[in-house]
Amino acid sequence: MTKPTLLKRLFPAFALSLGLLLAGQPAAHAEDDGQLMASGANIRDQASLQRGARLFFNYCVGCHSLKYLRYSRMADDLGLTEQQVMQNLDFTGAKFDDPVISHMPAEDAAKWFGKAPPDLSLEVSAKGADYIYTYLNTFYLDPKSPIGWNNTTLPNAAMPFPLWELQGEQTAVTRPGSDEVEKLELAHPGKLTPGEYQQATRDLVNFLEYVSEPAALQRHHYGVWVLLFLALFTLLAYLLKKEYWKDVH
Amino acid sequence: MANVFASIGDWVNERAPGLMPVYRKHMTEYYAPKNFNLWYYFGSLALLVLVNQIVTGIFLTMNYDPSAAGAFDSVQYIMRDVEWGWLIRYMHTTGASLFFVVVFLHMFRGIMYGSFKKPRELVWLLGMLIFLVLMAEAFMGYVLPWGNMSFWGAKVIVSLFGTIPKIGPALQEWIMGDFLPADATLNRFFALHVIALPIVLLLLVVLHLAALHEVGSNNPDGVDVKHGPKGNRWDALKPADGIPFHPYYTVKDLVGVGFFLLIAAFIIFFAPTFGGWFLEHDNSIAANNLVTPAQIKPVWYFTAFYAIVRMIPSAFGTAVWGVIGMFGSIALLFALPWIDAGPVKSIRYRGTGYKVALTIFVVAFLCLMAIGMDLTDEYFPKLFGAGIDITLWDNVFGRIMTLTYFGFFVFLWLYTHLGWEKTKPVPERVTTHD
């Protein structure tokens, strides 16, 4: 066997430093200043995805499209039948194979809100699940805002709070002598308890995470088998190498 | 069955008698030193990744739309509607990053064991050309998905050419075919990425291997086996310390391929964005010339060179010095065979000064990468207190690391040309193999 050389000793250090460099996550989601709540989204939880889809199609699709998602793909991935989707989730008259397009005209929406509601197909890829989860939990009543609502995660957001009847109305407690929001308090409870509301937004964010990359379900499904195959392949290659090299001295 | 193969073989040999000698010269009768270690896997792995990029690239091309209006949508089409499109795309994006991982390690191996030294200068020069073309190839490929980071990254990189006095602005426009990255830019980058540069790359790889096989491979001892004793089990006139590339190194490289694919598959199936390093979050937003991403920075493999651009200040009314510094940092690598005149190849038998200098050089390169990735912006306040002037710290640290990078080459020249190096005796024959 090889006697350890300086370089054999150097290699782990080099590999380690490269690894450390790569392991540090970039300040990926620009808005993340360490204040985000963990969404706990898990796209393998199909029941949660189904609940999230129901929330999306009841509360969000009025303004927001998912232009890269087809109803039929969603049915396949969420374990729903065509009938279930068309009767309960398709409110726009779209065909089963059509993408999810909101009926709100973008031009009008831009006039009404100052900014057309963005397509949410890739929102989780762009902003992160935690960001959206936190955003949906930090709306509060703000009499100074033209739409009556404000948000501590995205101050002066153009979006009114569509889930208010579920969460209720939060108000801001400001720091004495300033406008800075210290914390939010639930002034009027909604239909859901705070715990139920957090679970509801978790489901919704989970659904959006699925929408941003439906292939993730397939990735996880096949990935394990690919790794097992490659482990076996590597083992066989190693044994083959040992066999060939046993006469090299 | 064996008879059928043999007769096909005879048929071909009669008509092309030169084929088998070429095969023997490069495979079964190419005698490589028997003491290759871990560092010698990365050449064959780079070839594997090149093949992967070409094959997956062909399939991506079938469904990609190289227009500013359609590019972003077509990538989502590949991810969602094309059968196995997501796998092909992730193999291509992961392959791009891993290409640079294995090429960086391959280059470091060459520096460490003196593989660039006489008689292998041509091998090194061709390899450096491959590196240069690979950087252009990677940059243009990065622009194609037409996400917001693609757009702004393209704008920043092309604007580097705009710093050249007098011709800069016109050159910049000429490269983009517009005043901003636009449809024309995307069309031409697509053409260069899928046809022009891959052809150049393949030609250079063939020449790189041909040049290598003329002089023979170096090894961790830096001993030229061709100059050692003759006679091995296969040929009385060939190096005693050489073994046929095929089957010995083909089966050995197969083990390396297995390990490499395990790592690659793990990334492809479980972490394809690699936490935002391989696929950036801002690229999930379509290109928008009105919205600038919070941080514009190149992909990780360019960050060390990008940091050098940023760290060199403007002077005499032009910012071109940073760009000169960046290209200079690569040009110095080209010149390495003439900068390092040390008679001993392998780090195993070189002076302590060289070992220390090379270690510092690697640390400086990794620090420059960290600066280019804006990691220092994140970690300096955590390490040294939130109140520090981050720009000042970044600049001081970055400039020290830039000087260290260039200082390595200056030191190496002085160290080897002025005879300061105290080397150890080099053995007559290769010492170890595994």
Side-chain angles (χ1 to χ4, degrees):
Chain A
M1 288 310 287
T2 323
K3 74 172 188 231
T5 62
L6 173 73
L7 293 165
K8 285 247 161 144
R9 276 178 277 137
L10 264 181
F11 179 76
F14 182 73
L16 183 71
S17 45
L18 193 74
L20 281 177
L21 204 70
L22 290 175
Q25 305 254 315
H29 304 111
E31 298 83 354
D32 182 357
D33 52 357
Q35 303 298 311
L36 297 184
M37 299 183 254
S39 70
N42 170 18
I43 59 164
R44 273 163 289 188
D45 182 349
Q46 199 176 58
S48 163
L49 290 180
Q50 290 173 351
R51 293 194 299 268
R54 189 166 62 200
L55 280 169
F56 182 87
F57 285 96
N58 279 297
Y59 290 93
C60 313
V61 81
C63 301
H64 294 285
S65 297
L66 300 173
K67 65 176 174 179
Y68 296 125
L69 181 76
R70 296 178 197 282
Y71 287 96
S72 51
R73 175 70 181 264
M74 177 178 72
D76 277 354
D77 287 341
L78 267 53
L80 301 171
T81 64
E82 177 170 356
Q83 200 188 10
Q84 284 172 322
V85 168
M86 298 308 277
Q87 281 179 2
N88 301 307
L89 300 178
D90 181 0
F91 301 131
T92 63
K95 295 193 186 72
F96 189 49
D97 280 323
D98 281 347
V100 177
I101 304 292
S102 168
H103 263 187
M104 183 179 286
E107 276 177 33
D108 288 345
K111 270 185 227 154
W112 299 334
F113 301 106
K115 180 177 180 289
D119 184 278
L120 296 183
S121 304
L122 292 166
E123 200 66 6
V124 168
S125 294
K127 300 265 175 64
D130 293 350
Y131 174 82
I132 300 169
Y133 177 72
T134 309
Y135 175 67
L136 291 174
N137 277 279
T138 50
F139 275 96
Y140 62 95
L141 284 174
D142 182 0
K144 277 180 264 176
S145 155
I147 49 171
W149 291 98
N150 207 332
N151 191 294
T152 55
T153 309
L154 180 62
N156 302 319
M159 181 167 115
F161 184 36
L163 303 176
W164 68 272
E165 62 170 6
L166 299 181
Q167 185 184 29
E169 292 167 345
Q170 294 191 118
T171 51
V173 179
T174 53
R175 269 178 229 289
S178 88
D179 282 344
E180 203 185 335
V181 179
E182 196 177 2
K183 60 175 181 177
L184 299 176
E185 274 178 354
L186 190 60
H188 302 286
K191 285 186 195 164
L192 304 179
T193 66
E196 286 169 346
Y197 178 73
Q198 286 190 351
Q199 182 59 46
T201 46
R202 179 170 299 126
D203 295 337
L204 183 53
V205 170
N206 197 19
F207 174 68
L208 287 177
E209 178 160 340
Y210 152 75
V211 174
S212 75
E213 195 206 355
L217 293 170
Q218 284 155 283
R219 277 203 282 120
H220 297 156
H221 175 73
Y222 293 115
V224 179
W225 296 105
V226 172
L227 289 182
L228 284 173
F229 165 77
L230 285 172
L232 182 67
F233 171 84
T234 309
L235 177 69
L236 289 177
Y238 174 72
L239 295 175
L240 188 69
K241 188 259 169 188
K242 264 188 85 148
E243 177 64 23
Y244 267 98
W245 278 67
K246 68 183 179 196
D247 58 355
V248 177
H249 303 290
Chain B
M1 200 62 191
N3 274 342
V4 178
F5 284 124
S7 60
I8 292 174
D10 290 343
W11 188 91
V12 173
N13 277 332
E14 266 174 43
R15 285 152 187 83
L19 280 185
M20 280 316 284
V22 170
Y23 171 74
R24 283 198 289 268
K25 181 183 171 188
H26 293 289
M27 297 297 287
T28 54
E29 289 171 22
Y30 177 69
Y31 292 94
K34 64 185 184 185
N35 61 332
F36 284 176
N37 59 14
L38 191 75
W39 290 97
Y40 282 77
Y41 284 115
F42 301 112
S44 62
L45 290 178
L47 196 60
L48 175 76
V49 180
L50 178 65
V51 171
N52 172 68
Q53 296 309 92
I54 290 173
V55 173
T56 55
I58 289 170
F59 283 95
L60 289 175
T61 314
M62 293 177 194
N63 297 292
Y64 170 76
D65 172 6
S67 71
F72 190 81
D73 286 347
S74 73
V75 171
Q76 286 308 316
Y77 172 70
I78 291 168
M79 290 300 291
R80 290 157 194 266
D81 289 341
V82 174
E83 290 283 334
W84 297 99
W86 59 273
L87 179 60
I88 291 163
R89 173 158 182 260
Y90 283 151
M91 284 171 75
H92 200 76
T93 56
T94 306
S97 274
L98 293 183
F99 213 155
F100 278 90
V101 171
V102 297
V103 163
F104 280 140
L105 294 174
H106 185 65
M107 289 166 75
F108 180 64
R109 191 282 317 272
I111 296 173
M112 188 166 62
Y113 292 140
S115 307
F116 57 86
K117 286 170 179 283
K118 196 181 175 187
R120 298 183 185 84
E121 299 98 321
L122 195 58
V123 183
W124 175 260
L125 288 178
L126 288 163
M128 281 305 301
L129 280 176
I130 291 173
F131 181 60
L132 214 55
V133 175
L134 188 64
M135 294 213 288
E137 174 74 356
F139 163 64
M140 298 199 177
Y142 184 73
V143 176
L144 299 185
W146 210 236
N148 213 22
M149 200 54 115
S150 298
F151 177 89
W152 288 94
K155 191 166 182 297
V156 168
I157 300 289
V158 176
S159 71
L160 293 179
F161 294 94
T163 61
I164 300 171
K166 291 202 171 66
I167 62 161
L171 180 65
Q172 198 179 327
E173 249 176 73
W174 181 76
I175 292 171
M176 292 190 290
D178 206 325
F179 301 106
L180 283 174
D183 201 47
T185 323
L186 194 54
N187 292 168
R188 63 186 58 180
F189 278 15
F190 179 65
L192 293 170
H193 180 78
V194 304
I195 294 286
L197 294 176
I199 289 176
V200 176
L201 213 47
L202 279 173
L203 177 70
L204 287 171
V205 169
V206 169
L207 293 177
H208 185 62
L209 284 172
L212 173 71
H213 287 196
E214 283 302 314
V215 290
S217 306
N218 187 36
N219 60 75
D221 280 315
V223 180
D224 219 327
V225 294
K226 280 192 173 180
H227 297 155
K230 300 275 184 258
N232 56 35
R233 280 199 281 133
W234 302 273
D235 195 322
L237 299 174
K238 295 293 181 179
D241 286 335
I243 51 177
F245 184 81
H246 180 71
Y248 289 92
Y249 279 114
T250 42
V251 293
K252 193 179 177 194
D253 283 348
L254 211 56
V255 182
V257 165
F259 270 108
F260 175 78
L261 288 181
L262 268 170
I263 294 167
F266 178 80
I267 296 170
I268 289 166
F269 286 96
F270 295 102
T273 66
F274 212 61
W277 288 124
F278 288 7
L279 289 168
E280 285 150 318
H281 302 281
D282 277 315
N283 241 12
S284 292
I285 301 166
N288 186 340
N289 62 15
L290 298 175
V291 178
T292 321
Q295 293 171 308
I296 304 176
K297 50 179 197 252
V299 216
W300 70 269
Y301 41 77
F302 288 139
T303 47
F305 304 104
Y306 181 63
I308 292 176
V309 180
R310 269 176 43 193
M311 287 307 142
I312 300 178
S314 300
F316 308 110
T318 168
V320 76
W321 311 111
V323 180
I324 292 176
M326 181 184 76
F327 283 110
S329 68
I330 298 165
L332 281 171
L333 286 170
F334 269 92
L336 202 57
W338 296 275
I339 290 170
D340 181 354
V344 172
K345 289 195 184 85
S346 170
I347 192 169
R348 288 181 181 175
Y349 311 110
R350 295 198 66 165
T352 310
Y354 178 79
K355 293 175 186 172
V356 172
L358 184 61
T359 309
I360 293 174
F361 176 72
V362 171
V363 170
F365 188 79
L366 294 176
C367 287
L368 284 169
M369 269 183 145
I371 295 164
M373 288 170 167
D374 285 329
L375 285 183
T376 47
D377 290 5
E378 197 184 334
Y379 287 105
F380 276 173
K382 283 182 192 164
L383 289 171
F384 304 110
I388 60 166
D389 179 349
I390 190 67
T391 315
L392 180 75
W393 277 65
D394 240 16
N395 281 344
V396 170
F397 181 63
R399 282 171 190 169
I400 292 171
M401 289 304 140
T402 305
L403 284 175
T404 309
Y405 182 98
F406 288 107
F408 170 72
F409 296 94
V410 175
F411 168 81
L412 202 53
W413 193 88
L414 295 171
Y415 189 61
T416 56
H417 281 81
L418 301 183
W420 296 349
E421 182 171 14
K422 298 270 177 296
T423 58
K424 292 179 198 160
V426 180
E428 295 280 308
R429 310 228 347 219
V430 302
T431 54
T432 53
H433 81 85
D434 68 3

